[in-house]
């Protein structure tokens, strides 16, 4: 699913196309074999991508205006979600991806509001290595999918419409989970799930499904305010 998003979005950006979306997207996505869990899984897969990661794993032509929405790594800044994956600032003197990631995490340990502030160093390192595993696996299939998928198709149009397909909402929720572990903004259904441990941002090796009854609550929640609001 994350491949569909990346192929459709990166392909459109490079070709300077924009999404149009539309009310028929739900049926188009279903017919195209896109899972109802699309937004949830894709938001996890892309939330911490950087320009360097996109170039490394997916497409070397990607630039600053890449249209890949990600959680803002500067957790005290606004907006919570960036419209474009930012540069990471990897030290290119290192030859391996692992050392580039390690160096970036260690440099940010004492920086206030930088990345996973609620986690210990080992957990931060585990997270970046975990995400790299996902991107490597996805990148291996990316080129094959890109050759077969029509980037002008209605399916791609709907995949790019992150407001209607729920991806924008899930990224906002992910940003809140990272900024304020264990805290929500007052919606009782979502708050109860948070306090029960279902929605807090955590790292594990197992797959934990979220309660399905929260999806409608999330889709109707207004994330337009500031963190304080």
């Amino acid at each position: 699913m994350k491949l569909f998003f990346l192929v459709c979005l990166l392909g459109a950006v490079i070709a300077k196309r924009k999404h149009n979306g539309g009310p028929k997207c739900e049926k188009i996505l279903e017919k195209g074999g896109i899972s109802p869990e699309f937004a949830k899984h894709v938001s996890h897969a892309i939330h911490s991508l950087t320009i360097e990661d996109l170039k490394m794993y997916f497409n070397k032509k990607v630039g600053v205006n890449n249209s890949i929405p990600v959680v803002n790594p500067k957790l005290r800044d606004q907006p919570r979600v960036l419209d474009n994956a930012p540069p990471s600032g990897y030290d290119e003197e290192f030859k391996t991806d692992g050392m580039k990631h390690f160096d970036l995490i260690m440099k940010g340990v004492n920086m206030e509001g930088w990345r996973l502030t609620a986690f210990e160093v080992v957990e931060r390192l585990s997270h970046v290595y975990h995400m790299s595993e996902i991107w490597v696996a996805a990148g291996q299939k990316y080129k094959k999918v890109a050759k077969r998928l029509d980037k002008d198709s209605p399916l791609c149009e709907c995949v790019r419409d992150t407001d209607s397909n729920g991806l924008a909402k899930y990224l906002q929720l992910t940003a809140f989970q990272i900024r304020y572990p264990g805290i929500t903004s007052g919606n009782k259904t979502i708050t109860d799930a948070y306090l029960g441990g279902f929605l807090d941002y955590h790292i594990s090796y197992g797959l934990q499904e979220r309660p399905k009854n929260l999806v409608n609550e999330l889709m109707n929640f207004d994330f337009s305010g500031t963190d304080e609001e």
Side-chain angles (χ1 to χ4, degrees):
M1 289 179 287
K2 62 184 74 74
L3 289 178
F4 277 105
F5 178 78
L6 288 167
V7 170
C8 292
L9 205 45
L10 289 179
V13 170
I14 292 170
K16 297 183 179 180
R17 303 186 187 107
K18 297 182 179 180
H19 72 75
N20 296 315
K24 298 180 180 179
C25 277
E26 186 174 347
K27 291 184 178 179
I28 291 173
L29 291 172
E30 182 179 358
K31 186 177 180 180
I34 302 298
S35 166
E37 308 293 328
F38 166 83
K40 178 178 70 175
H41 293 306
V42 172
S43 65
H44 171 248
I46 70 173
H47 78 276
S48 58
L49 277 168
T50 66
I51 293 177
E52 289 88 341
D53 296 324
L54 289 169
K55 289 183 176 181
M56 186 183 305
Y57 301 112
F58 300 103
N59 194 314
K60 295 186 182 300
K61 295 181 180 179
V62 170
V64 176
N65 297 317
N66 50 71
S67 294
I68 301 297
V70 298
V71 172
N72 191 341
K74 297 179 180 179
L75 303 182
R76 302 292 181 265
D77 292 358
Q78 295 293 333
R80 288 182 292 270
V81 176
L82 303 177
D83 292 332
N84 301 282
S88 64
Y90 291 139
D91 189 337
E92 295 301 329
E93 288 189 8
F94 292 112
K95 304 302 179 185
T96 64
D97 300 341
M99 277 305 302
K100 290 177 182 179
H101 290 143
F102 179 82
D103 177 66
L104 187 67
I105 294 298
M106 295 308 293
K107 284 180 177 177
V109 166
N110 295 320
M111 293 173 59
E112 182 180 356
W114 176 250
R115 295 182 180 255
L116 300 177
T117 55
F119 291 84
E120 299 297 331
V121 173
V122 172
E123 293 174 309
R124 297 189 201 189
L125 290 170
S126 298
H127 176 263
V128 72
Y129 293 146
H130 159 66
M131 296 310 302
S132 296
E133 285 290 310
I134 291 177
W135 299 331
V136 167
Q140 290 172 348
K141 300 178 181 179
Y142 172 83
K143 291 182 180 179
K144 294 180 180 179
V145 176
K147 291 178 180 179
R148 299 178 182 178
L149 197 60
D150 180 3
K151 302 172 188 63
D152 288 323
S153 66
L155 177 61
C156 270
E157 288 289 328
C158 291
V159 165
R160 290 193 289 266
D161 190 356
T162 59
D163 288 324
S164 69
N165 63 33
L167 180 57
K169 293 280 190 178
Y170 268 97
L171 282 170
Q172 288 286 345
L173 178 60
T174 299
F176 265 112
Q177 291 170 329
I178 294 174
R179 288 177 178 224
Y180 312 108
I183 299 176
T184 59
S185 46
N187 181 293
K188 188 177 188 303
T189 301
I190 296 179
T191 301
D192 287 348
Y194 240 120
L195 298 178
F198 286 105
L199 285 177
D200 57 328
Y201 192 89
H202 63 281
I203 300 169
S204 72
Y205 283 99
L207 177 63
Q208 182 179 10
E209 291 297 330
R210 302 324 190 199
K212 295 185 181 299
N213 67 317
L214 292 175
V215 176
N216 289 336
E217 296 286 343
L218 175 61
M219 292 303 106
N220 293 323
F221 192 81
D222 182 9
F223 285 102
S224 61
T226 65
D227 289 5
E228 290 76 13
E229 293 173 329

